Amino acid sequence: MLVMVMEGEPVNVNEFQELARQALPKMHYDYYTGGAEDQYTLKENVEAFRRITFRPRMLVDVSRIDFSTTVLGYNISAPIMIAPSGLHKLAHPEGEIATARAAAVSNTIMVLSSMSSCTIEEVASSCNAVRFFQLYVYKSRDVSAQLVQRAERNGYKAIVLTVDVPRLGRREADIKSKMILLQIKNFEGLSSTKVDNDDGSKLEAFAKRTFDDSLCWRDIGWLRSITKLPILIKGVLTREDAIKAVEVGVAGIVVSNHGARQLDYTPATITVLEEVVHAVGGKVPVFLDGGVRRGTDVFKALALGAQAVLIGRPAIYGLAAKGEYGVRKVIQMLKDELELTMALSGCPSVKDITRSHVRTQHEKFHSML
C-alpha cells in the first residue's frame, strides 16, 4: 500500500485535522467539522476536557501498561472505538471500507452509520472484525427493520440507536454550501435519497422527509421485538433519560450530543458523563463521544466512569489525509498518548484508573472556598 509521506509527519490528531482541511473540498470539510448554529457546544466539547486536571500517583510499578478492555463482552485493544459518522466517501474514495479495515487492524470496534456511503454488506465482507450498526428510525418502520435484519444477518454484534435526531439540527455551513447528498448505499432498493429542493442542505431535506419524529420510549420495545442483538442508546445527556434507558432494557448508553451537530448550547458530553454514570449505577456500561482529541481525554473519560470512548472526527481526519493508514495512525496516536498518561498517573491497567485520578473545574472551585 502506498503511504503518503509528508515533510514532518503529523504527531497529533489536530495536525491530522489540518491535513484533512488541505485535502478536502471546502463543502466536505465544513460538513465534517461543522456544528449547529453558533457552534458553542462544538467548541465546548473540546474545551471542557481542558478544564479537567490530573491527580497522578507516584512510585507505582508502571513497567507494563495494559489498556485493553471489553465492550459487551468483546475484547478490544484499547477503550477507543470508532463512532458512527456518515458519508466517508466524501473523505476518501474507499470510504467506510478503509475505516473498517483500520478498526480491524487496530483490534477495535467500528460502529457503522446507517448513512454510510458503503453498504452494510460491503463493510461486513471487507474484513473480519467485531462491528456494531448505528440505526435511525425512519417514518417507514419497514426500512428500519430491514436495515436491522441485514446488520444481524451480516454479523454485526449490536445496534446503536441514535435518539437525538427527531429533526436535523441547523448546520449553517451545510445550508450555505447547499450540501450535496451522496447516494446513501444502504437505502438502495428501500427508499430514495434523491432530494429536489434547491434551498439549503440536501441532507436536512432528506432527514425531514425520512426521520421519524414521533419516536418515543415505547418504541424501544418495538426495536427489541425485531432483533436478538443488544441495543445501545446514543444521545443521552441527562440523569432522567439515563434512568429511562435502563428501565426499557438497553444494553448500554452512549453519552453524546451528536458531535455538537444537533441542539446548540447542550453541555459538553464530558461534563454530564458522571451524572449519567451515577444514574445507571453500574447496571449497564456507559460510553462517551464528543471532543476526544488526545489520549489524556480518553483517560479523563475513563476516570469519570466511561467504559470506552468513541471517536468520530479524528477518524475522518485520518481517513481524509491518508486513507486507511491515516485512520490506523490516529488510533495509534491516541493509544500511545493514553499509555503515557496511564504510566505518568500511576495506572498500570484501565481498572486502576479511578475518580480520584482527576479533578474537575467544579472541584477546583470548591477547594478554593
Side-chain angles (χ1 to χ4, degrees):
M1 179 178 65
L2 182 65
V3 173
M4 181 182 81
V5 179
M6 56 176 271
E7 188 182 344
E9 281 277 306
V11 296
N12 59 49
V13 167
N14 291 326
E15 291 184 5
F16 261 111
Q17 179 173 356
E18 177 54 26
L19 286 182
R21 189 187 65 77
Q22 294 169 17
L24 293 174
K26 185 175 185 302
M27 177 191 289
H28 298 170
Y29 180 76
D30 288 349
Y31 165 69
Y32 288 128
T33 59
E37 295 188 352
D38 298 331
Q39 303 193 122
Y40 166 83
T41 300
L42 183 71
K43 298 181 191 80
E44 189 63 8
N45 267 356
V46 174
E47 289 297 321
F49 276 105
R50 296 177 179 170
R51 295 193 290 270
I52 300 168
T53 54
F54 294 122
R55 301 182 70 249
R57 307 294 193 280
M58 301 303 132
L59 296 172
V60 177
D61 180 357
V62 290
S63 56
R64 294 184 65 185
I65 300 289
D66 178 13
F67 47 70
S68 64
T69 191
T70 61
V71 170
L72 300 189
Y74 299 104
N75 296 321
I76 56 175
S77 62
I80 302 163
M81 300 156 61
I82 305 281
S85 56
L87 304 175
H88 286 202
K89 281 194 176 179
L90 293 180
H92 188 273
E94 292 177 0
E96 286 80 3
I97 286 173
T99 310
R101 286 176 174 156
V105 169
S106 305
N107 188 22
T108 193
I109 294 167
M110 172 188 179
V111 185
L112 180 70
S113 170
S114 56
M115 304 288 281
S116 167
S117 43
C118 300
T119 65
I120 291 167
E121 292 79 9
E122 286 168 342
V123 173
S125 62
S126 68
C127 55
N128 188 28
V130 174
R131 246 174 252 106
F132 297 169
F133 179 70
Q134 177 271 334
L135 179 74
Y136 293 110
V137 173
Y138 302 97
K139 286 176 180 170
S140 169
R141 290 291 172 93
D142 185 53
V143 170
S144 297
Q146 287 196 48
L147 292 174
V148 168
Q149 286 152 11
R150 284 165 59 190
E152 192 164 349
R153 203 162 54 237
N154 282 276
Y156 291 72
K157 302 301 185 187
I159 300 297
V160 179
L161 176 67
T162 298
V163 295
D164 56 7
V165 192
R167 301 183 187 182
L168 204 70
R170 185 174 171 81
R171 305 167 191 177
E172 293 178 358
D174 293 349
I175 294 167
K176 280 182 183 172
S177 68
K178 300 192 174 180
M179 175 64 193
I180 296 162
L181 196 63
L182 275 181
Q183 179 62 39
I184 302 167
K185 294 288 288 290
N186 284 324
F187 290 88
E188 285 180 357
L190 291 178
S191 176
S192 171
T193 56
K194 191 172 187 308
V195 177
D196 293 326
N197 89 315
D198 293 321
D199 301 322
S201 163
K202 301 283 194 292
L203 184 63
E204 186 179 0
F206 169 75
K208 192 172 183 179
R209 194 185 73 204
T210 58
F211 288 8
D212 185 354
D213 55 7
S214 75
L215 186 69
C216 58
W217 286 106
R218 67 173 174 270
D219 295 314
I220 306 297
W222 163 78
L223 183 56
R224 291 180 69 193
S225 76
I226 64 167
T227 181
K228 296 185 182 72
L229 295 178
I231 295 162
L232 288 81
I233 193 168
K234 178 176 177 286
V236 169
L237 292 169
T238 63
R239 174 180 179 277
E240 293 87 342
D241 282 349
I243 291 167
K244 283 184 178 175
V246 172
E247 285 172 356
V248 299
V250 302
I253 292 172
V254 183
V255 175
S256 173
N257 54 33
H258 211 98
R261 294 158 78 79
Q262 280 301 100
L263 179 62
D264 202 12
Y265 297 95
T266 52
T269 48
I270 192 66
T271 66
V272 295
L273 172 61
E274 266 195 300
E275 177 182 330
V276 172
V277 168
H278 289 158
V280 304
K283 294 186 182 79
V284 297
V286 177
F287 308 93
L288 173 133
D289 78 5
V292 174
R293 299 292 183 272
R294 286 277 187 186
T296 49
D297 298 337
V298 181
F299 184 103
K300 290 169 185 178
L302 298 179
L304 293 174
Q307 187 159 344
V309 303
L310 293 90
I311 56 167
R313 290 185 179 94
I316 289 290
Y317 298 150
L319 182 66
K322 301 190 174 209
E324 179 192 329
Y325 168 81
V327 181
R328 285 191 349 237
K329 186 76 175 165
V330 162
I331 296 169
Q332 192 59 50
M333 278 176 177
L334 294 173
K335 283 182 178 179
D336 291 345
E337 291 173 3
L338 174 61
E339 181 179 25
L340 182 59
T341 306
M342 289 171 66
L344 295 178
S345 297
C347 297
S349 77
V350 292
K351 293 183 185 68
D352 298 310
I353 302 172
T354 68
R355 180 61 179 82
S356 69
H357 283 94
V358 295
R359 179 180 282 129
T360 63
Q361 188 181 40
H362 176 72
E363 290 167 313
K364 284 182 227 171
F365 173 75
H366 281 286
S367 68
M368 291 188 292
L369 293 179

